[in-house]
Amino acid sequence: MMAMMQSLVALSIDAMLPALTEIGQDLGADQVNDSQLIVSVLFLGLAFGQGIYGPLSDSTGRKPSVYLGFSLFFCGCLCSLFSTDFTVMLAGRFLQGLGLSAPRCIVVAIVRDQFEGPAMARVMSFVMTIFIFVPAVAPTLGQGILLVAHWRAIFAALLVCGVLTFFWFALRLPETLAENRRIPFSFERIKHAVYEVCSHRVSLGYTISLGLISSAFLGYLSSAQQIFQKQYELGTMFPLYFAILALCIGSASFANGRLVMRFGMQFLTRWSKRISTVISLFFFLYVLSVGGQPPLWSMMVYMMAILFCFGIMYGNLNAMAMEPLGHIAGVGSAVMGALSTLISVPGGIFIGHSYNGTVIPVISGFTISGVLIMAVMHWVESKNDKTMKEDANPD
């Protein structure tokens, strides 16, 4: 159940990818690249919702907050399903993102209410395994629907999945947050959490780094359909290539779970950022030399390496950003997720809208984000090193 709730987010994003161009043409998008907003606007809804649902679920209980989120998601699906112009479609996608941010951030809290220690790790590992698998198959599902039906059927399928998951959740899961553990909802509490995240160098630095990673990834995600289906003329084979790249992120998450206990988060993150940035710099120069049209095999090798490194960094950056926020873990996590997403969306939209028939904008996005992440993390780590030296030599 928890895995399905989390997977609705990935399904709502990636099942759309094969249909983006067709949707834009049918609904009168002004420019070809405007169809990418169907992906980007959903992320914007996720960003705004995350900062609210976490504190709300601490106050009212988990189930009412999830009910509210699903209600908004259903409205968004219906809005997109019956949209007659591009603006209505984008409004529907924003509502879907706003609604999906509820299960996205509350699932972890529900699991934590019932389990702890190794038992919680076991449940979350299963949830994340399913969650990682979904992006690999979602475009194939979308492409399969397009082969036999109109693109509106994709939204109908999302609506059906949402309704089934909603009733499964409503009928089978009791409320997991006891009334004596609830905390009154307060905007002051959210404001305090924002201040804590922004005033602590470690939390702020790693949150910015998360936003930069997500920005480059969103730029790639928004233009992936145009790159593979149009530029490389893969047609209906696009979902296969997308699945291979999605599995690179999944394998990185699996590998990180095994390596982090041996090498530590700092070590893995430091070397992943260095490797990805160096590879991006060299590949960027190569891409310029071939006019932005590298062979498909070289593009795939590059993307596999970069997404593997990003998969290593993403989980570790999340954990490191949360370390100073243990005393406000719930609302702190929600605020951190909202801030990183708000950082990523403008950059991702800019990268995607810069698509010009070559891979130069996407590779530029990965390269620039890599350089900026190195600068931000140097700023964070230099402060940590200074603090450690002061602790070792108090005089």
Side-chain angles (χ1 to χ4, degrees), residues 176-313:
T176 60
L177 184 66
E179 289 196 22
N180 61 355
R181 293 174 52 209
R182 296 180 187 179
I183 304 169
F185 182 84
S186 168
F187 284 106
E188 188 65 29
R189 187 164 163 253
I190 298 174
K191 179 182 174 183
H192 176 70
V194 172
Y195 175 79
E196 287 247 6
V197 172
C198 294
S199 61
H200 199 291
R201 183 183 289 216
V202 171
S203 292
L204 179 61
Y206 291 139
T207 298
I208 292 173
S209 297
L210 280 168
L212 292 170
I213 285 179
S214 301
S215 177
F217 182 75
L218 179 56
Y220 151 72
L221 196 64
S222 300
S223 48
Q225 182 256 346
Q226 291 167 288
I227 291 173
F228 290 111
Q229 278 197 328
K230 293 186 175 181
Q231 185 174 334
Y232 287 108
E233 300 179 346
L234 293 178
T236 55
M237 291 295 290
F238 158 60
L240 174 62
Y241 286 82
F242 187 88
I244 293 171
L245 297 178
L247 289 174
C248 287
I249 301 177
S251 61
S253 299
F254 179 79
N256 186 67
R258 292 176 174 267
L259 295 173
V260 72
M261 299 303 294
R262 181 177 178 183
F263 297 103
M265 295 183 293
Q266 291 272 6
F267 178 87
L268 291 173
T269 304
R270 185 179 298 120
W271 278 101
S272 294
K273 75 177 179 184
R274 289 173 181 172
I275 292 170
S276 63
T277 303
V278 170
I279 291 174
S280 291
L281 284 168
F282 279 107
F283 193 71
F284 176 67
L285 295 175
Y286 169 67
V287 165
L288 288 179
S289 71
V290 295
Q293 305 285 349
L296 178 60
W297 69 266
S298 65
M299 183 66 180
M300 287 296 292
V301 170
Y302 166 77
M303 289 301 303
M304 289 170 70
I306 291 300
L307 293 180
F308 187 88
C309 289
F310 273 30
I312 292 286
M313 285 191 286

Side-chain angles (χ1 to χ4, degrees), residues 86-146:
F86 197 64
T87 302
V88 175
M89 167 61 72
L90 295 184
R93 292 294 280 172
F94 179 81
L95 279 176
Q96 287 174 52
L98 196 62
L100 287 172
S101 57
R104 186 184 189 186
C105 68
I106 294 174
V107 160
V108 178
I110 290 174
V111 175
R112 179 62 186 86
D113 290 339
Q114 300 176 92
F115 304 97
E116 60 182 18
M120 180 180 177
R122 179 175 176 270
V123 174
M124 286 308 301
S125 294
F126 177 77
V127 171
M128 292 311 297
T129 298
I130 302 299
F131 179 74
I132 288 167
F133 178 71
V134 169
V137 300
T140 304
L141 294 175
Q143 187 69 66
I145 290 172
L146 286 178

Side-chain angles (χ1 to χ4, degrees), residues 27 37-38 40-42 44-45 72-81 83-99 155:
L27 297 181
L37 292 171
I38 295 169
S40 306
V41 167
L42 187 138
L44 195 63
L72 291 174
F73 174 67
F74 296 152
C75 290
C77 285
L78 290 171
C79 191
S80 297
L81 176 61
S83 59
T84 55
D85 64 71
F86 197 64
T87 302
V88 175
M89 167 61 72
L90 295 184
R93 292 294 280 172
F94 179 81
L95 279 176
Q96 287 174 52
L98 196 62
F155 289 101

